[in-house]
């Protein structure tokens, strides 16, 4: 479960404009509330791609947007996704 939180936290922090070099050199995290808001959705809809990187998970969440909980959808909106 911690891999879900770490992956999602990195997604929230880095967004779509960060370079790969920056992503490898820094560690940031979203708030615990943001992590909790999407952890179930990541586990439910993106389990198969959880080991394929943060941007893959973000793409999966975006593809499943109509099925996401309101809370997770709001987190993505709050971070420009």
């Amino acid at each position: 479960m911690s891999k879900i939180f770490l992956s999602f936290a990195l997604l929230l922090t880095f967004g779509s404009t960060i370079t790969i070099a920056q992503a490898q050199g820094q560690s940031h995290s979203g708030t615990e509330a943001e992590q909790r808001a999407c952890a179930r959705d990541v586990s439910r809809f993106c389990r198969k791609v959880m080991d394929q990187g943060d941007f893959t998970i973000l793409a999966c969440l975006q593809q499943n947007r109509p099925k996401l909980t309101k809370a997770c959808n709001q987190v993505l909106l709050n971070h420009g996704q």
Side-chain angles (χ1 to χ4, degrees):
M1 188 60 100
S2 63
K3 187 172 182 178
I4 295 170
F5 291 134
L6 177 60
S7 295
F8 187 72
L10 290 171
L11 285 172
L12 293 177
T13 302
F14 295 135
S16 61
T17 59
I18 192 160
T19 65
I20 293 173
Q22 289 174 316
Q24 292 174 348
Q26 298 178 357
S27 62
H28 297 274
S29 63
T31 67
E32 287 185 38
E34 290 171 335
Q35 294 171 11
R36 283 192 308 268
C38 286
R40 190 173 186 185
D41 292 312
V42 170
S43 179
R44 179 182 289 163
F45 303 119
C46 304
R47 181 177 302 269
K48 293 179 181 179
V49 299
M50 284 175 33
D51 62 343
Q52 296 180 18
D54 299 337
F55 294 108
T56 304
I57 295 170
L58 176 58
C60 175
L61 288 173
Q62 291 171 333
Q63 289 172 351
N64 288 284
R65 189 156 231 148
K67 298 182 252 180
L68 297 181
T69 59
K70 289 181 182 180
C72 185
N73 189 49
Q74 187 59 52
V75 169
L76 293 178
L77 289 172
N78 290 348
H79 289 276
Q81 300 298 322

